[in-house]
């Protein structure tokens, strides 16, 4: 009884504070959150290998490497064509690029993606007979760095892929959408048939035989090599020159004073407990208990706990809507999800299962969330490869669109 009373009192108290906060906001027209004084400077930045690191409040933030990931240019050229060629889909109507478009930093702008049977491009795309896929398409700029740690070390072979990290490496990831009924396979072919079907198709196109031979040697037109080539192409989609990266590399005016202060607030609020390293992801799975949206989505990570991988916070200007099911249309609503989040919003996830790092995040409304957003705004780089091939070797429409 007493405990309940205390909670209720606190609750009412907080509700009253919120009302007062809202009134202040309405009256003064500005938020009432005051950030802590900045307690570091650019002098504290330490260069380790090709990344620049800065310790703030016991957490280390890092830039992305300035150097591009080394690639084989023949494979990149082949991989780009494959990425845009709908020949990789059962009904020849969907390419990787259908759901990964350059103008959205290689996602599609939809809450949940539309593959087989759909029509239209980007946010105008309409679902066909196989409906929506269960998840929000992930952006592919910088994906070649998945798994990178705070000092810039990473291993492309073990790089975690998908919202639930169920596959490792870009090369193996690329085979999954081809085999997926709703994404690319369609009903004409079974999962067992599709690999052979695609290999046969590629072998029948002379231009592909030549390109595969140049990249991998004669007789090398295999689906596995197609995956390796598409991985090589995706490694070139870097966007590693954001205002934040430039500031970390010593450009004093690359970020505003407000953004520098917001960077500290991002750490103090606990965001960097999970959004860490050069990609602002620890690449670990966490239970946040975000609400279901449309379909029940139990990740394949195997713990039955609806754990999702921490996504990067780079390129968010391009990649709305947010979260694994695209439930947040705006960045401010995604940040506001964290507002004193102490209970699960998903009926399938117990509040006691929530990640411990979630439980000490302070309130996000009343200005703190909006303030932190200033820092996230410094994590966008619009200068990445957006080349769309004019034609693909199959003669089909690039992107299937
Ligand atoms: C129908 C839309 C669709 C098509 C077609 C598609 N993808 Fe995706 N892609 C998605 C969605 C949705 C996810 C997240 C899926 C999940 O987590 O289960 C994703 C995730 C990815 C990821 C993981 C990124 C990361 O950071 O973990 C990569 C890489 C990727 N796709 C590349 C490709 C390639 C290469 C192709 C073509 C062979 C392709 N996609 C075809 C929708 C699509
Ligand atoms: C316990 C680990 C953890 C903490 C702490 C955390 N996040 Fe997240 N964040 C995640 C995970 C996991 C997701 C994906 C959740 C999902 O899709 O269901 C996510 C998603 C996001 C997204 C959406 C990104 C996208 O591409 O969809 C934003 C924005 C975000 N977090 C910002 C923040 C901010 C700001 C803070 C601090 C207030 C924060 N996060 C604290 C783990 C965390």
């Amino acid at each position: 009884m007493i405990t309940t009373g205390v909670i209720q009192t606190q609750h009412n108290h907080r509700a009253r504070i919120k009302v007062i906060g809202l009134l202040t906001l309405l009256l003064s027209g500005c938020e009432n959150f005051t950030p802590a004084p900045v307690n570091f400077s650019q002098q504290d930045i330490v260069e380790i290998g090709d990344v620049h690191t800065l310790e703030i409040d016991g957490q280390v933030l890092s830039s992305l490497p300035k150097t591009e990931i080394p690639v084989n240019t023949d494979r990149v050229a082949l991989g780009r064509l494959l990425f845009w060629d709908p020949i990789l889909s059962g009904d020849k109507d969907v390419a990787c690029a259908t759901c990964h478009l350059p103008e959205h930093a290689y996602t599609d702008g939809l809450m949940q993606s539309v593959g087989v049977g759909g029509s239209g491009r980007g946010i105008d795309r309409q679902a066909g007979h196989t409906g929506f896929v269960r998840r929000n398409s992930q952006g592919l700029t910088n994906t070649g760095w998945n798994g990178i740690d705070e000092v810039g070390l990473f291993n492309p072979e073990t790089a975690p892929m998908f919202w639930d990290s169920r596959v490792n490496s870009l090369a193996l990831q690329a085979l999954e959408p081809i085999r997926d009924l709703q994404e690319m396979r369609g009903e004409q072919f079974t999962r067992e048939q599709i690999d052979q079907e695609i290999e046969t198709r590629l072998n029948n196109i002379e231009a592909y035989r030549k390109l595969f031979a140049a990249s991998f040697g004669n007789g090398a037109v295999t689906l596995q090599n197609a995956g390796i080539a598409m991985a090589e192409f995706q490694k070139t989609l870097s966007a590693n020159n954001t205002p934040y990266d430039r500031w970390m590399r010593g450009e004093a005016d690359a970020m505003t004073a407000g953004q520098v202060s917001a960077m500290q607030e991002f750490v103090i609020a606990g965001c960097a407990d999970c959004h860490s390293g050069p990609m602002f992801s620890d690449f670990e799975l966490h239970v946040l208990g975000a609400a279901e949206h449309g379909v029940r989505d139990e990740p394949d990570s195997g713990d039955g706990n609806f754990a999702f991988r921490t996504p990067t916070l780079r390129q968010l200007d391009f990649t709305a809507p947010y979260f694994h099911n695209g439930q947040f249309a705006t960045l401010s609503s995604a940040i506001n999800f964290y507002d004193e989040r102490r209970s699960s919003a998903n009926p399938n996830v117990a509040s006691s299962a929530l990640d411990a790092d979630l439980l000490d995040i302070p309130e996000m409304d009343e200005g703190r969330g909006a303030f932190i957003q200033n820092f996230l705004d410094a994590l966008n780089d619009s200068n990445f490869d957006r080349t769309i091939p004019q034609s693909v070797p199959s003669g089909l429409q690039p992107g299937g669109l």
Side-chain angles (χ1 to χ4, degrees):
M1 276 310 276
I2 294 170
T3 323
T4 316
V6 169
I7 286 173
Q8 264 175 4
T9 313
Q10 279 179 348
H11 189 84
N12 288 339
H13 182 59
R14 184 160 141 64
R16 210 164 25 236
I17 291 176
K18 283 201 177 184
V19 170
I20 294 168
L22 189 67
L23 281 176
T24 321
L25 201 97
L26 289 173
L27 291 174
S28 66
C30 69
E31 317 266 13
N32 61 1
F33 167 72
T34 315
V38 172
N39 63 10
F40 57 84
S41 81
Q42 272 181 313
Q43 310 299 322
D44 304 323
I45 293 172
V46 179
E47 199 174 342
I48 303 175
D50 201 17
V51 304
H52 289 74
T53 65
L54 174 64
E55 192 175 326
I56 302 174
D57 210 44
Q59 283 279 2
V60 176
L61 296 190
S62 317
S63 65
L64 269 175
K66 197 175 181 183
T67 317
E68 305 294 311
I69 303 172
V71 287
N72 171 314
T73 50
D74 287 328
R75 293 181 183 181
V76 170
L78 169 60
R80 184 195 302 279
L81 294 171
L82 290 166
F83 188 87
W84 282 90
D85 199 336
I87 195 79
L88 298 187
S89 60
D91 300 341
K92 303 183 185 173
D93 61 341
V94 182
C96 308
T98 306
C99 307
H100 297 287
L101 287 163
E103 64 266 35
H104 296 288
Y106 293 90
T107 162
D108 55 13
L110 295 171
M111 281 193 279
Q112 282 136 289
S113 291
V114 175
V116 174
S119 59
R121 189 178 198 278
I123 54 169
D124 297 325
R125 192 163 168 80
Q126 304 285 321
H129 61 283
T130 64
F132 291 90
V133 310
R134 65 179 167 162
R135 291 196 186 140
N136 176 259
S137 167
Q138 290 166 294
L140 303 181
T141 51
N142 298 321
T143 189
W145 273 300
N146 274 16
I148 193 169
D149 71 11
E150 65 183 37
V151 295
L153 299 175
F154 71 108
N155 178 358
E157 305 299 317
T158 56
M161 295 290 149
F162 290 126
W163 281 102
D164 52 13
S165 295
R166 67 185 181 278
V167 174
N168 293 101
S169 89
L170 278 172
L172 290 181
Q173 185 288 329
L175 309 185
E176 294 304 312
I178 296 172
R179 295 167 179 157
D180 184 85
L181 168 74
Q182 289 172 297
E183 292 195 352
M184 296 177 83
R185 173 164 59 86
E187 283 120 340
Q188 258 193 80
F189 302 96
T190 64
R191 231 185 133 81
E192 287 67 39
Q193 292 166 333
I194 194 70
D195 287 18
Q196 187 55 55
E197 169 66 19
I198 302 300
E199 278 189 11
T200 306
R201 286 185 195 173
L202 294 175
N203 262 299
N204 287 339
I205 298 171
E206 196 194 349
Y208 273 130
R209 283 199 304 273
K210 284 187 178 155
L211 288 162
F212 273 85
S215 286
F216 300 100
N218 280 325
V221 190
T222 63
L223 197 61
Q224 203 188 359
N225 282 342
I228 293 172
M230 286 191 278
E232 209 70 349
F233 160 63
Q234 292 175 80
K235 286 180 202 166
T236 66
L237 301 177
S238 65
N240 54 351
N241 215 16
T242 65
Y244 161 79
D245 294 297
R246 291 192 280 118
W247 188 88
M248 290 288 276
R249 293 178 197 134
E251 242 180 84
D253 54 4
M255 285 206 287
T256 64
Q259 287 174 326
V260 172
S261 168
M263 171 163 74
Q264 177 175 276
E265 199 49 48
F266 174 83
V267 174
I268 294 174
C271 310
D273 292 355
C274 304
H275 295 283
S276 58
M279 288 285 277
F280 293 92
S281 171
D282 56 3
F283 294 100
E284 299 288 340
L285 301 170
H286 296 279
V287 180
L288 261 55
E292 297 283 11
H293 191 58
V295 287
R296 179 186 154 103
D297 185 350
E298 186 154 8
D300 301 339
S301 44
D303 59 5
N305 248 343
F306 295 78
F308 290 96
R309 189 189 89 203
T310 311
T312 181
L313 297 182
R314 289 174 175 272
Q315 305 295 81
L316 296 177
D317 265 5
F318 302 92
T319 59
Y322 307 104
F323 276 54
H324 68 276
N325 49 24
Q327 65 179 282
F328 296 115
T330 62
L331 188 48
S332 55
S333 58
I335 297 173
N336 222 42
F337 162 84
Y338 292 97
D339 181 44
E340 286 199 306
R341 169 70 51 196
R342 304 292 181 261
S343 59
S344 172
N346 182 333
N348 301 304
V349 179
S351 293
S352 57
L354 294 185
D355 195 288
D357 281 332
L358 197 61
L359 303 178
D360 48 15
I361 295 183
E363 55 192 19
M364 283 295 128
D365 59 357
E366 298 175 6
R368 186 187 266 106
F371 188 71
I372 289 174
Q373 196 174 330
N374 289 316
F375 174 55
L376 303 187
D377 288 343
L379 301 180
N380 297 289
D381 176 359
S382 59
N383 188 19
F384 52 85
D385 186 351
R386 304 183 193 207
T387 315
I388 301 178
Q390 290 199 327
S391 63
V392 287
S394 66
L396 296 164
Q397 185 66 31
L401 303 160

